[in-house]
Amino acid sequence: MKPRIDLRLRIKPGRSWAFILLLAGSEMLAQGTASDYKRSEALKEKLRDKLYNAPTAINWLPKSNRFWYLTRTRKGSEFIVVDAAKRTRQPAFDAQQVAQKLAEATGKTLDPYKLPFNTITFGKDDESVEFVAEGSVWQYGPGSVAFRKKGPFTAEVNDRRYWGEGRDETAKRTVTSPDSNWTAYVKNYNVYIKSRQTGAESQLSFDGSAGDYYANSIQWAPDSKKLVATKLRPAEKHLIHFVRSSPTDQLQPRLENREYLKPGDALPARRPQLFLVESKQHLPVSDALFNQQFSLSNLNWRADSRAFTVEYNQRGHQLYRVLEVNASTGAVRTLIEEQSKTFIDYSGKRFRYDVADGKELVWASERDGWNHLYLYDGPSGLVKKQITKGEWVVREVVHVDEPTRTILFAASGKQPGQDPYLIQYYRVKFDGTDLTALTAENANHVARFSPDFQYFTDTYSRVDLPPTTVLRSAKDGSVLMELEKADLTDWQQAGWKAPEVFTAKGRDGKTDIWGVIIRPTNFDSTRTYPVIENIYAGPHGSFVPKTFMANAFAMHELAELGFVVVQIDGMGTSNRSKAFHDVCWKNLKDAGFPDRILWLQAAARKYPSLDLNHVGIYGTSAGGQSAAGALLFHPDFYKVGVSSCGCHDNRMDKMWWNEQWMGYPIGPHYAECSNVTNAHKLQGKLMLLVGEVDDNVDPASTMQVADALIKAQKDFELVVLPGVGHSSGGDFGERKRRDFFVRHLLGVNPPAWPAPAPAAP
């Protein structure tokens, strides 16, 4: 590809064509040059920590109406404490004194507005504070403990894995009854109890065996007269294997593995069994209502010990039941049943709250086409009332208040004329009356409620609106105090351009598709710019940013190289209607591309500076699958793609995520959606990045795409990241990605990588 030169210039009188062409060939109008890279790097430094008066997380004190937060002002970082009841706002402690005391103790010079910690813990008196600095825990407060070193700080070791090995359900574990008179445990595959008074041991079950044993997850009833134990028929484990080529503790590579179930694998069967302590009786529990398990979870006793409940997710995710087991008879009945012709979004929208020990239940469901709340009668299992209703969605239940029979919740799409993804907060009665908006500003709201739910902080913003933080009453949403209003002056002086929120109709010609457009700081509307889409189309959420991106600069940095960068939520993603979401079912290759392409075409009609002859795309994980899929399934539109750690074939990826959206049993649709199966269709320029020890998405998935591309004699680039897990590649991957787009969308050879800084002597 030839270097990209823009000839759409405004020609002034008296200028010759020779002059114009000479000017067009100069570096001033080129894109992807060394100066663009320098400006891209400089932008991050110009913006970082230059947004003032925008608090980090709000931290309410336990059993208190006080909270603290950290905010950056023009002085530096300041800790603030607020008393909601008294309406006071003041420094959380004397920063000058803390800096002086800590400097004396450590021998280091400290700035009170650059203290070496960013979190604090209040003491029981809500006055003294503790913090970690220089490897120790320190306490500062009034009185005799004005300042002291409490001792060394021991950091928790986090051997982070995406999917752990799981709890050993055969390990010896003793569970004490609530009245402390009994212990229960599993021995020789069966359930035993022992009197703590006499030491006498009794065997309760006799049907356990090596292949069908009782797990150690025993749960006593509150009255200590009954217990439930789960009988487990295990399935064969599925291991994925890695070679860690460059371990830090040895020269030779290391072979590693993880337990990792994939779609279609056999699953263990769990069957809760009931035991009566006094009579030593085993009451078998019929599994007729839960015998095709994907999962059996949330086993809980009723407070009065009359029954226990458990939730059953049928494999295929089209049937979900809340079951109750009678503790006197072992009889099982259905309290709630959800059915769907596509899928039940149990991982993203499940909510249940049992009122008055099960006399009523609050339940979330999409049965009317939108995610709403329902009130069930516990004894009959019948719906008493649909609590919320309308073409909008409940996003989160914050609190259920039984005495007042009210619910605090977050929702989106209810306010007319607003972006349907913007979150607002509401309260409503159990019977659906007295629905009250607690927030209303045209922005995305993030609320943090006090422990007694009488107050809440509200930080609201949009991608094009800096955040404002206020204290509100949880009764009616009235503003009690304005706490912070962000200062964007330095960003504006740096030339930062706010993302533009843009909408266009989707494939049905009716539904609005929402996204953002990000332009470089030197954007010139008379020129054209290749377009790069940042894609993540996982059905488990929606992904276009809705809050102000205070520290998310990557898309802006990429735009500085001479691109317009976009992000879009197409059909098949969540947080809209059920019909909108269902587009993904058994069809992950769709990834909303028909909507994305129409959105981009509409944007280009409005803004001719968008060059749709040069469109790139990148993404990680599910986004990596979609980025590669764009070039395979829509090669006439997407020309350059960078795919990181993609789950390229849904049969190769984790079971729980893929069977949720692609269904069970495994069918031909899995192969139809596979980037491996369709690799021969590649026409554009593709880069694959993968971490060699990725335990979120099996790295073999990327290698199988590479193998298929090689067999189809397709040219592509493969970047394997030694010792790296699930990742976009860090700084190295980011530079590779940017260079790839500059080379193939702009037709420019990117500048040489900067030499590493000299090692310290």
Side-chain angles (χ1 to χ4, degrees):
M1 182 182 290
K2 295 180 180 179
R4 180 180 177 79
I5 303 296
D6 197 319
L7 298 179
R8 284 195 317 152
L9 303 174
R10 293 190 177 98
I11 303 173
K12 295 182 179 180
R15 298 294 192 188
S16 68
W17 275 107
F19 176 84
I20 298 301
L21 291 174
L22 178 64
L23 181 63
S26 72
E27 185 174 282
M28 284 172 43
L29 288 179
Q31 295 161 300
T33 64
S35 61
D36 292 318
Y37 274 79
K38 290 178 182 178
R39 190 178 63 255
S40 174
E41 285 296 316
L43 179 66
K44 177 168 56 179
E45 297 309 315
K46 288 179 180 179
L47 302 183
R48 189 195 308 277
D49 297 332
K50 299 298 192 300
L51 180 68
Y52 302 112
N53 307 112
T56 55
I58 304 293
N59 305 273
W60 286 91
L61 276 58
K63 300 179 181 179
S64 172
N65 284 325
R66 302 173 73 220
F67 61 90
W68 70 267
Y69 61 85
L70 178 65
T71 188
R72 176 170 290 279
T73 68
R74 291 193 175 275
K75 295 179 182 179
S77 295
E78 297 187 47
F79 289 87
I80 304 296
V81 65
V82 177
D83 189 312
K86 296 179 180 178
R87 315 287 198 270
T88 59
R89 176 189 179 278
Q90 61 190 35
F93 51 82
D94 187 330
Q96 186 73 44
Q97 192 174 90
V98 167
Q100 179 183 340
K101 296 284 188 182
L102 190 57
E104 292 172 356
T106 62
K108 295 186 176 182
T109 302
L110 295 175
D111 184 331
Y113 295 103
K114 294 181 181 178
L115 292 170
F117 54 91
N118 55 23
T119 186
I120 57 178
T121 302
F122 276 81
K124 294 180 180 179
D125 57 5
D126 281 356
E127 296 296 335
S128 62
V129 296
E130 292 183 6
F131 54 88
V132 176
E134 304 298 327
S136 297
V137 180
W138 307 83
Q139 186 179 40
Y140 170 81
S144 59
V145 293
F147 187 83
R148 70 186 180 100
K149 182 179 179 179
K150 292 190 68 176
F153 171 71
T154 304
E156 292 184 7
V157 177
N158 181 16
D159 181 17
R160 183 173 183 272
R161 297 183 178 186
Y162 270 88
W163 320 120
E165 304 299 326
R167 185 168 64 84
D168 184 358
E169 296 183 282
T170 63
K172 184 67 181 277
R173 177 170 170 260
T174 300
V175 185
T176 303
S177 63
D179 64 7
S180 300
N181 290 332
W182 300 90
T183 58
Y185 47 91
V186 173
K187 185 174 73 171
N188 299 326
Y189 311 116
N190 282 292
V191 179
Y192 287 73
I193 58 172
K194 180 183 288 188
S195 170
R196 299 189 71 187
Q197 295 177 343
T198 67
E201 181 183 73
S202 302
Q203 184 173 350
L204 297 186
S205 76
F206 296 85
D207 56 340
S209 64
D212 195 10
Y213 54 83
Y214 282 89
N216 57 22
S217 52
I218 296 170
Q219 292 190 43
W220 283 94
D223 64 5
S224 301
K225 296 179 179 179
K226 300 170 280 287
L227 62 86
V228 60
T230 299
K231 198 176 183 192
L232 177 64
R233 182 176 297 156
E236 184 176 354
K237 295 179 180 180
H238 188 146
L239 299 180
I240 56 173
H241 300 271
F242 318 97
V243 174
R244 188 179 294 272
S245 65
S246 310
T248 57
D249 59 343
Q250 64 185 49
L251 174 64
Q252 297 300 324
R254 177 182 293 120
L255 179 64
E256 300 179 3
N257 62 58
R258 308 279 193 276
E259 291 183 23
Y260 188 103
L261 290 175
K262 294 185 177 183
D265 283 349
L267 281 169
R270 302 175 189 277
R271 301 182 306 284
Q273 302 294 296
L274 185 63
F275 298 92
L276 307 183
V277 173
E278 187 173 327
S279 63
K280 310 297 187 294
Q281 187 177 1
H282 174 190
L283 297 179
V285 176
S286 170
D287 66 354
L289 292 175
F290 53 89
N291 62 5
Q292 299 179 50
Q293 297 173 21
F294 176 80
S295 66
L296 201 66
S297 61
N298 299 315
L299 192 155
N300 289 292
W301 279 96
R302 294 299 189 195
D304 65 3
S305 302
R306 71 182 187 278
F308 65 86
T309 61
V310 68
E311 296 184 17
Y312 165 62
N313 186 0
Q314 183 172 290
R315 194 161 188 182
H317 309 291
Q318 294 177 305
L319 174 66
Y320 197 100
R321 291 186 178 119
V322 178
L323 303 170
E324 185 179 77
V325 181
N326 186 298
S328 299
T329 65
V332 186
R333 71 183 184 101
T334 299
L335 295 180
I336 298 173
E337 181 170 290
E338 286 289 331
Q339 294 193 48
S340 173
K341 293 181 179 179
T342 55
F343 58 81
I344 296 164
D345 186 3
Y346 76 96
S347 60
K349 300 187 177 73
R350 178 203 165 275
F351 177 80
R352 169 187 154 204
Y353 181 91
D354 292 7
V355 180
D357 201 26
K359 291 183 179 178
E360 295 174 306
L361 298 92
V362 178
W363 178 253
S365 171
E366 291 186 284
R367 63 187 61 177
D368 75 346
W370 304 83
N371 195 46
H372 281 299
L373 300 177
Y374 294 77
L375 184 66
Y376 272 78
D377 177 68
S380 68
L382 299 176
V383 174
K384 295 177 67 173
K385 184 73 178 182
Q386 182 171 349
I387 301 171
T388 61
K389 190 173 186 178
E391 294 187 356
W392 49 277
V393 295
V394 172
R395 297 284 293 272
E396 177 194 9
V397 175
V398 176
H399 179 61
V400 177
D401 190 310
E402 291 190 41
T404 63
R405 295 181 67 81
T406 59
I407 301 170
L408 287 172
F409 67 96
S412 59
K414 182 166 174 51
Q415 296 290 344
Q418 292 187 7
D419 178 337
Y421 293 95
L422 297 180
I423 291 176
Q424 305 281 1
Y425 287 81
Y426 302 86
R427 67 184 310 133
V428 67
K429 294 285 190 182
F430 280 13
D431 62 4
T433 63
D434 197 22
L435 178 61
T436 303
L438 301 179
T439 61
E441 293 86 351
N442 184 15
N444 199 58
H445 295 254
V446 178
R448 295 289 179 266
F449 286 79
S450 61
D452 62 4
F453 296 96
Q454 297 302 305
Y455 306 96
F456 69 100
T457 59
D458 174 24
T459 299
Y460 60 89
S461 68
R462 295 191 310 266
V463 292
D464 55 353
L465 178 71
T468 295
T469 303
V470 298
L471 174 68
R472 295 183 186 268
S473 163
K475 181 179 180 180
D476 56 12
S478 58
V479 175
L480 305 177
M481 294 176 67
E482 182 175 289
L483 301 172
E484 304 284 349
K485 194 173 183 66
D487 177 0
L488 201 60
T489 305
D490 287 26
W491 282 37
Q492 293 166 337
Q493 291 175 349
W496 173 82
K497 295 186 184 301
E500 178 187 349
V501 178
F502 185 79
T503 62
K505 298 300 179 186
R507 69 189 75 181
D508 60 2
K510 299 181 295 183
T511 304
D512 283 333
I513 303 299
W514 290 74
V516 294
I517 301 172
I518 295 175
R519 298 174 174 86
T521 57
N522 64 350
F523 178 78
D524 181 349
S525 63
T526 67
R527 300 176 61 183
T528 61
Y529 297 80
V531 179
I532 299 176
E533 180 180 352
N534 174 9
I535 189 169
Y536 195 84
H540 53 283
S542 53
F543 307 99
V544 173
K546 299 300 173 183
T547 58
F548 191 83
M549 297 185 288
N551 296 300
F553 307 133
M555 288 192 287
H556 289 275
E557 292 175 63
L558 180 57
E560 289 301 299
L561 302 181
F563 304 109
V564 169
V565 181
V566 302
Q567 193 170 0
I568 310 159
D569 278 322
M571 289 188 184
T573 52
S574 189
N575 299 322
R576 297 285 289 276
S577 69
K578 184 72 167 75
F580 189 102
H581 201 182
D582 280 347
V583 168
C584 74
W585 187 58
K586 294 188 176 182
N587 189 27
L588 287 181
K589 74 177 187 297
D590 179 279
F593 282 122
D595 313 300
R596 298 169 187 277
I597 292 169
L598 287 170
W599 186 96
L600 281 163
Q601 290 171 340
R605 285 194 295 272
K606 183 174 181 180
Y607 303 114
S609 54
L610 275 63
D611 178 5
L612 296 193
N613 291 317
H614 298 84
V615 180
I617 189 168
Y618 70 98
T620 300
S621 194
Q625 177 180 8
S626 298
L631 273 62
L632 304 181
F633 301 112
H634 303 277
D636 294 337
F637 192 82
Y638 294 96
K639 304 300 171 54
V640 182
V642 180
S643 166
S644 303
C645 293
C647 40
H648 296 285
D649 188 309
N650 300 106
R651 296 166 295 187
M652 286 288 293
D653 194 28
K654 64 200 77 70
M655 174 192 286
W656 70 266
W657 194 88
N658 291 272
E659 286 193 8
Q660 165 83 92
W661 317 115
M662 290 292 286
Y664 176 84
I666 311 307
H669 56 287
Y670 274 80
E672 292 166 3
C673 288
S674 168
N675 290 343
V676 179
T677 305
N678 292 283
H680 64 280
K681 298 178 181 178
L682 178 67
Q683 295 184 32
K685 299 294 183 180
L686 175 64
M687 175 186 283
L688 299 171
L689 290 91
V690 65
E692 69 175 359
V693 287
D694 184 351
D695 60 359
N696 182 330
V697 174
D698 189 343
S701 187
T702 295
M703 303 307 285
Q704 289 181 2
V705 174
D707 179 57
L709 290 169
I710 292 169
K711 289 175 179 175
Q713 298 187 13
K714 297 292 183 179
D715 187 24
F716 69 102
E717 292 191 24
L718 174 64
V719 178
V720 180
L721 304 167
V724 174
H726 196 61
S727 169
S728 299
D731 292 341
F732 177 84
E734 188 65 44
R735 182 63 188 257
K736 292 290 288 184
R737 185 163 36 254
R738 293 175 186 181
D739 285 358
F740 195 74
F741 286 131
V742 166
R743 186 177 296 113
H744 294 296
L745 286 178
L746 296 176
V748 174
N749 286 325
W753 286 34

